[in-house]
Amino acid sequence: MLSKYLYRVEVHFRTQLVYWVSNKYKDSPTWFIDKKVVTDDIIRFVEKLYYGNDEAFKKNNKAIKKHHQKYINDRYAPAWKSLEFFTFGQINKLYKGLKDEGLKRQIASIYGYQDLHAFKNHITAIVNIRNICSHNGILFDYNQPTGIRKIPNKQYQVKSRNQTNLNASICVILNILTIISKNRADELKSALHELINQAKEIPELKKIVETKICFE
């Protein structure tokens, strides 16, 4: 149920990152390996991703392979091509590795955040949930490794004291999704309420909802 909405968040976040950073550094189409734009650890990470594992990144992604066949002297394809094949977690890592704090704040403000630490915390939380969904993992008793920071939209602020459970993660997802598409956020809320109400009709599941998920 969550996967398609998480994918919507992933695509939107990637698009904003590529758009805003590429427009700021128009003279650096491969800004993701530019030491003026990103930290040294990001450059090492991208080099390993791109050229490690027998250059699998270049060989397995057709658009990248085609680019290098046409432009044989390019060490990297431009950001608008390359970043399409970065995972959500890799895109998040790249965002965190930007040197320009103002640029990071500009991207965060698109989603209604003034607190940059909260935004990074929330995107990372969504990445964690996305990873579990992608690997068909168990979600009902999942707890984030760090607590969810305060959500700017009061409608989705976590009411309980538990800031790490699945309920807290769902609040974060809905908050970000509302900015991207209110209709999709309302759709997800409706589907979740229907699922939870059905689950509560079964005593064993009702206990899980109330003690593990704590769905609000």
Side-chain angles (χ1 to χ4, degrees):
M1 182 181 291
L2 290 176
S3 290
K4 69 176 182 179
Y5 300 102
L6 293 171
Y7 179 70
R8 186 75 178 267
V9 174
E10 176 182 349
V11 170
H12 194 274
F13 183 56
R14 178 188 289 109
T15 301
Q16 299 308 311
L17 180 69
V18 173
Y19 176 80
W20 289 103
V21 183
S22 296
N23 272 278
K24 175 151 184 126
Y25 301 102
K26 292 180 180 179
D27 295 330
S28 183
T30 56
W31 53 260
F32 51 88
I33 48 92
D34 189 334
K35 63 181 181 181
K36 292 181 293 185
V37 181
V38 297
T39 55
D40 290 342
D41 64 307
I42 293 297
I43 294 174
R44 290 192 296 270
F45 159 72
V46 173
E47 286 178 342
K48 185 177 180 180
L49 173 68
Y50 218 95
Y51 286 99
N53 194 24
D54 195 29
E55 300 188 2
F57 185 87
K58 290 173 63 179
K59 294 177 180 178
N60 296 341
N61 299 312
K62 291 183 179 180
I64 303 300
K65 184 177 181 180
K66 186 176 180 181
H67 176 91
H68 288 287
Q69 287 172 340
K70 186 175 181 180
Y71 304 99
I72 58 174
N73 293 322
D74 282 4
R75 183 163 172 77
Y76 298 93
W80 65 271
K81 285 185 181 179
S82 295
L83 269 58
E84 281 295 313
F85 301 99
F86 279 38
T87 67
F88 196 0
Q90 289 164 349
I91 288 293
N92 186 37
K93 185 182 183 76
L94 189 55
Y95 170 78
K96 291 179 179 178
L98 292 174
K99 286 186 172 181
D100 189 331
E101 290 291 303
L103 189 53
K104 284 194 278 193
R105 291 184 185 280
Q106 187 173 24
I107 294 171
S109 70
I110 294 167
Y111 300 95
Y113 287 79
Q114 294 183 340
D115 185 339
L116 188 56
H117 294 294
F119 180 68
K120 290 190 286 187
N121 171 267
H122 292 176
I123 291 295
T124 300
I126 295 176
V127 169
N128 292 340
I129 297 295
R130 167 74 168 158
N131 289 343
I132 293 172
C133 290
S134 297
H135 295 92
N136 299 313
I138 304 300
L139 272 178
F140 77 87
D141 61 350
Y142 176 73
N143 283 276
Q144 294 284 351
T146 57
I148 297 296
R149 286 177 174 255
K150 187 176 181 180
I151 297 171
N153 187 338
K154 290 182 179 180
Q155 180 182 357
Y156 296 118
Q157 287 178 2
V158 182
K159 299 179 180 66
S160 69
R161 296 180 65 183
N162 191 324
Q163 302 290 314
T164 62
N165 61 13
L166 182 58
N167 173 72
S169 296
I170 288 172
C171 289
V172 168
I173 293 167
L174 287 171
N175 176 63
I176 296 287
L177 189 60
T178 297
I179 300 297
I180 299 169
S181 171
K182 188 176 184 303
N183 287 340
R184 296 292 78 78
D186 290 342
E187 182 178 285
L188 176 57
K189 277 191 289 185
S190 178
L192 284 168
H193 279 291
E194 182 178 352
L195 178 66
I196 293 298
N197 288 335
Q198 289 175 354
K200 285 184 175 181
E201 295 177 2
I202 303 170
E204 293 83 359
L205 296 184
K206 184 175 186 292
K207 184 177 179 181
I208 287 173
V209 170
E210 293 177 347
T211 63
K212 298 291 185 180
I213 302 175
C214 303
F215 185 66
E216 295 175 358

